Amino acid sequence: MKTKTKLNLGVGSLFILIILLSLVSVYNINALKSDSDNILKANYNSLLYCRNILTDIEHISVYNLKNIEDNIKKQEANITEQGEEKATKQLRLNLNALKENQKDSSLYKKIKLDLYQIMELNMQAIQRKSTIAQSTADNAVFWIVFTGSSCFLIAFVLLINLPASIANPIKELSESIKQIANKNYSERVSFEGHSEFKELANSFNTMAEKLEEYNNSNLAKLMMAMKRTETIIDNIHDPVIGLDENLMIIFANEQASKICGINKQNMIGSLVIDLASKNDLINNLIKDLMIGELPKSKKVTPIKIINDNKENYYEKETIHISITPTGEKSKRLVGHVILLRNVTVYKEMDAAKTNFIATVSHEFKTPISSIKMSLNLLENKKIGTLNQEQEQLVTSINDDINRLLKITGELLNMTQAESGNIQLSIIPTDPIEFINYSINANKTSAEQKNILIKSELPMNIYKVMADGEKSAWVLTNLISNAIRYSHENSEIVIQMTNETDKVKISVTDKGQGIATKHKEKIFDRYYRVPGSKKEGTGLGLSISKEFMEAQGGSISVNTELGIGSTFEITFNISLLV
Ligand code: ADP
């Protein structure tokens, strides 16, 4: 049944019940009223007339006779009971006789008897009628109570059932909606016998079914996507480990499990910190995660891992994964991926290259030195004089030989630095020695460009912890660069300053300077500022850096394009004087 019909029926029947109750009450009250009217008019009045006549005949007078006449007329007009007419006629006859002969005392007696008879008849009638009225009243009470109770019962049943029949399906539906909101898509509702709610239930069930279908298909897609990603990660030949924001391992491929020596199943779901406490490699891998990200410029040395009884080298990269959650504006860190790139092959190729360069440079050195000796002999006038053209040729060959010697020297130094085989003898050294050596080594080339080399030294000279030969090489290279990248007729200042536990030596030129974007890169191997017209290998500064760091010192530059540059090297002061 429709809710509207149900409501109409409920309210309508209540309305009908109220009308029915009112009708029953009105009918019964009317019946009671007519009963009492009946008694009042028909019998009570007759009693009243008879009593008046009785009173009046006691003291007969003209006035009383008139009253008696009025009352007898009223009584004659109010005959209602059987036998009353006869008694009234008898009364009329006796009263008429009394009017004629008032002294006949027997008439009084007869009149009184007539009156008593009429009164008796009416009294009996009153008695009878009040019994009827009583039963009418009882009937009225019965019907009113009956109808009232029925109304109450029906209203009570409606009160209990009607709101519940509307509210219950709504409650059930809202519970089901909550279930759907909690992703319990298998939830269904059924409202039997409620036509509108049945329709609603059908619509709801269709919606839930579609949601379930959608959810299942999405789940299947997600599972498929996850499987695909897992397979891709497993097929990557390099080890990959994925961590969530709480540093729990969420994925790891076979390669990662192999190099860590931990079963993949035991890795996934474990906190990486727990594994790190038992596994040195994992501990090493998460070091930067524990202390925060490494600065980008910092050189990362490949990690050596023994794998399949062979030394393997891996370059580690930690990628921090951030996403912008739906509805949010800022990014949130959701995890990290540790990638280990196997660089063993490149490392081996690099070692082979370094070896090759070292061998070639070394092999070049002997013939170049013997050519240089032969040139020196040629320059010697004792073995014969050269004409001017020959002298010029010898000088130019000498220049080229010097350049070749410089290059082979640089290449040899570079191979030493690359293979980590820098042979150092760090001892307390007087810096004046290698400063003077470097100035002298560059004297000729400075003179050629008419460049003045000035040195500014402090009063107190402290010995520094250095390898004299390597430091001289570095300073010579810095002065040589200053001369090469300076204009003619300028000056170069070599300044030494003492600090608490360090000695700084700087080489300042007023040359072309270096643009900011190249400033940091000039210390990289083979890096030359693009467009540089001077000859060079791009190795000098990188070797200088390796030499300075190997001695526990440092090298830095302060430069401005078009103004000039200051290269500064720092040494530790020797505690032994
Ligand atoms: P190179 O053999 O090219 O001089 P270096 O490693 O010594 O190699 O220097 C690297 C680059 O740095 C050079 O190519 C040059 O462009 C720049 N450079 C070095 N010293 C100076 C300087 N004093 N003034 C300007 N540029 C310089």
Side-chain angles (χ1 to χ4, degrees), residues 73-89:
K73 271 185 186 159
K74 281 180 189 166
Q75 170 54 28
E76 280 167 348
N78 190 32
I79 290 167
T80 51
E81 306 307 320
Q82 215 180 6
E84 196 178 357
E85 193 180 4
K86 194 181 162 197
T88 309
K89 273 183 182 166

Side-chain angles (χ1 to χ4, degrees), residues 243 245 251 318-323 332-337:
L243 308 171
E245 67 271 39
F251 61 80
T318 307
I319 308 164
H320 305 288
I321 314 289
S322 298
I323 55 157
R332 189 153 52 86
L333 182 82
V334 288
H336 317 268
V337 174

Side-chain angles (χ1 to χ4, degrees), residues 406 410 477-478 481-486 509 511-514 522-524 527-530 532 534-543 559 564-565 567:
K406 188 178 178 253
E410 279 184 354
N477 185 59
L478 291 182
N481 276 353
I483 296 168
R484 280 161 69 218
Y485 298 106
S486 276
D509 64 62
Q512 61 192 61
I514 304 162
I522 56 170
F523 294 103
D524 291 348
Y527 188 84
R528 308 197 66 227
V529 172
S532 177
K534 308 283 171 198
E535 285 176 352
T537 53
L539 285 172
L541 287 177
S542 95
I543 296 168
T559 174
S565 317
F567 283 85

Side-chain angles (χ1 to χ4, degrees), residues 445-484:
S445 50
E447 279 167 5
Q448 278 169 3
K449 286 180 87 175
N450 197 24
I451 291 173
L452 177 69
I453 302 179
K454 285 204 304 188
S455 49
E456 294 173 4
L457 306 172
M459 295 286 286
N460 298 327
I461 307 287
Y462 299 108
K463 284 194 174 179
V464 293
M465 291 305 289
D467 177 312
E469 201 187 312
K470 300 280 188 278
S471 305
W473 192 95
V474 172
L475 200 57
T476 307
N477 185 59
L478 291 182
I479 299 171
S480 153
N481 276 353
I483 296 168
R484 280 161 69 218

